[in-house]
């Protein structure tokens, strides 16, 4: 079968942005800001995006476009006879691992779209949190919804690169941004909004010495940009040689970051307008507990709520597609499987892993009793893949591009056909020195502070 490719440059940008923008921005970012103590997390997050993630994204796309192959074979092609292919293999595993919990949360957004439509969301104070807890304690519903999300993802992937992924991604982003802006505007006028904004924007400097804040911010930055696991590499491999990489990557990073920040401008003012609100303890339920109460303050809130959760579900779908595409492309490229066979096998494997995520704490009592783990399976998966696997994948990508494949070859690919690429010297420095060193320090520091 001929390899797919994007129809246009815009097609690539939209698909990459569709991959990046998802639950990570609207569910993950505010949740992490809450856990990380507010604005200090935001500061560290932005530094990670600019200094670590953007340079690595350029490297990842360059590898993919150079090799026109999926991750394992890309690394093997560019450094034959070495073990670098293992860096690609880590990404293939991460794709499946992340999708297993991602599909569960995406399923919740589908359910909430339905609840908003039918007007059954509890919107009184306290009640919204209890509603969420009651809903998620119904394990069968979460499992069924995750299966629905996985089936929808598989259906799009069967359509291939152009017909499937590219078509689905278009037109949704502008609507999502407009809706977010409206909600942020509304949230800013609520009583208590100022306190929420202060929490979000005024950093508590003592948190800047906390290894867990750095680790979570780095993991969140990788997760939100779909980085460190070969997604951008795989999407880059469908990119034609004549497309400039730097301008496309910059657009994707800017859009992704803007949407995450915007989500914070909605959740924190709205959250703090609720009596007794504590952003730190809400965990994965934060947006599901806060947003219904925000919608309830709006005339026609049900319509807003429905539109919001539908868009969020679509944003999650375009990300899920990119997560599944990595193992699928791997099976096609490396093992010579047909696309349908690869899609079916990956869907079944991920679903098996999604079940314990959907069933939550009760189903995996062993984990919550292990000292230091004390978290449900979903949180465990999110932490292991986001905070460790992705930064490690990013570290390997940086070392690969900087030292194994080498920056001069990478720059040749990045600047092919005189493509716009500002400050190649600065980029080389970041990818060779700063990225590996900073990621290495954060990971070692995290482990050290566990002990
Ligand atoms: N970036 C996606 C989001 O923010 C999640 C994702 C992570 C997608 C890694 C692909 C790879 O929702």
């Amino acid at each position: 079968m001929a390899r797919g490719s994007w129809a246009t440059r815009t097609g690539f940008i939209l698909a990459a942005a569709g991959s990046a923008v998802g639950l990570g921005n609207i569910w993950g970012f505010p949740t992490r800001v809450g856990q990380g103590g507010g604005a200090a997390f935001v500061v560290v997050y932005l530094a990670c995006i600019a200094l670590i993630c953007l340079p690595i994204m350029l490297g990842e796309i360059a590898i993919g476009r150079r090799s026109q192959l999926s991750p394992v074979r890309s690394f093997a092609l560019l450094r034959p006879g070495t073990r670098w292919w293992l860096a690609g293999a880590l990404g293939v595993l991460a794709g499946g691992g992340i999708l297993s919990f991602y599909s569960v949360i995406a399923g919740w957004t589908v359910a909430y779209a339905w609840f908003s439509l039918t007007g059954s969301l509890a919107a009184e104070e306290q009640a919204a949190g209890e509603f969420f807890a009651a809903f998620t304690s119904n394990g069968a519903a979460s499992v069924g919804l995750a299966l629905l999300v996985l089936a929808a993802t598989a259906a799009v992937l069967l359509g291939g690169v152009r017909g499937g992924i590219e078509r689905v991604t278009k037109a949704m982003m502008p609507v999502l941004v407009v809706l977010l802006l409206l909600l942020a505007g509304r949230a800013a006028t609520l009583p208590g909004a100022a306190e929420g904004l202060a929490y979000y924007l005024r950093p508590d400097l003592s948190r800047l010495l906390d290894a867990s804040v750095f680790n979570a911010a780095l993991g969140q930055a990788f997760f939100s940009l779909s980085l460190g696991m070969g997604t951008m590499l795989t999407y880059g491999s469908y990119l034609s040689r004549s497309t400039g990489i730097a301008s496309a990557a910059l657009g994707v990073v800017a859009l992704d970051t803007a949407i995450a920040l915007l989500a914070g401008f909605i959740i924190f003012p709205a959250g703090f307008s609720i009596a007794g609100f504590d952003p730190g303890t809400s965990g994965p339920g934060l947006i599901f507990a806060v947003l219904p109460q925000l919608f309830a303050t709006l005339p026609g809130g049900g319509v807003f709520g429905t539109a919001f959760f539908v868009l969020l579900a679509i944003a999650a779908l375009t990300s899920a597609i990119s997560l599944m595409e990595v193992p699928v492309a791997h099976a096609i490229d490396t093992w010579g499987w047909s696309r349908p066979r690869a899609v079916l096998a990956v869907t079944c494997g991920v679903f098996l892993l999604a079940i314990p995520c959907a069933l939550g704490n009760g189903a995996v009592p062993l984990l919550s009793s292990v000292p230091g783990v004390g978290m449900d399976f979903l949180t465990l998966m999110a932490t292991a893949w986001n905070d460790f696997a992705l930064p490690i994948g990013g570290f390997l990508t940086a070392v690969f591009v900087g030292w194994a494949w080498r920056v001069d070859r990478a720059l040749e690919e990045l600047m092919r056909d005189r493509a716009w690429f500002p400050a190649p010297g600065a980029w080389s420095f970041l990818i060779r020195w700063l990225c590996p060193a900073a990621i290495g320090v954060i990971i070692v520091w995290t482990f050290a502070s566990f002990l």
Side-chain angles (χ1 to χ4, degrees), residues 237-334:
S237 79
Y238 303 133
L239 193 57
S240 83
R241 290 258 148 81
S242 55
T243 305
I245 295 177
S247 54
L250 207 60
V252 171
V253 171
L255 184 69
D256 186 74
T257 308
I259 292 185
L261 291 175
L262 205 48
F265 278 107
I266 299 171
I267 302 293
F268 295 107
F272 277 87
S273 73
I274 300 164
F277 172 73
D278 177 0
T281 57
S282 321
L286 181 64
I287 71 161
F288 296 99
V290 170
L291 288 174
Q293 307 186 50
L294 175 63
F295 298 138
T297 69
L298 291 165
V303 178
F304 268 102
T306 310
F308 177 84
F309 283 115
V310 167
L311 284 169
L312 187 54
I314 298 175
L317 182 68
T318 55
S319 300
I321 289 166
S322 71
L323 282 161
M324 196 186 272
E325 177 65 13
V326 173
V328 164
H330 171 74
I332 295 173
D333 274 359
T334 314

Side-chain angles (χ1 to χ4, degrees), residues 6 11 14-15 156 160-172 318:
W6 307 112
L14 283 176
V156 176
V161 171
R162 224 178 263 191
I165 305 176
E166 189 167 342
R167 239 183 37 207
V168 168
T169 314
K170 284 194 183 150
M172 178 210 77
T318 55

Side-chain angles (χ1 to χ4, degrees), residues 32 58 60 84 96 103 117 125 150 175 178 182 204 207 251 259 274 287 317 326 336 343 361 373 388 390-391 406 414:
R32 294 296 188 95
L58 295 168
E60 232 191 270
W84 273 107
S103 57
L117 187 68
E125 298 178 7
L150 289 174
V175 190
V178 169
L182 281 174
D204 165 4
R207 296 297 298 244
I259 292 185
I274 300 164
I287 71 161
L317 182 68
V326 173
V343 169
N361 220 356
V373 174
F388 293 96
L390 296 185
R406 298 246 312 276
L414 289 164

Side-chain angles (χ1 to χ4, degrees), residues 42 47 52 57 68 80 89 147 188 238 242 264 277 303 305 314 329 364 408 410-411 415 422 437:
V42 181
I52 301 177
M57 180 179 284
Q68 305 269 307
L147 183 61
Y238 303 133
S242 55
F277 172 73
V303 178
I314 298 175
V364 216
D408 45 335
L411 278 172
M415 308 209 290

Side-chain angles (χ1 to χ4, degrees), residues 187-213:
T189 61
L190 293 173
E195 204 192 327
L197 288 174
Y199 174 82
Y200 185 42
L201 298 177
R202 207 177 302 138
D204 165 4
L205 293 178
S206 67
R207 296 297 298 244
L208 286 179
L209 295 172
D210 186 343
S212 72
V213 169

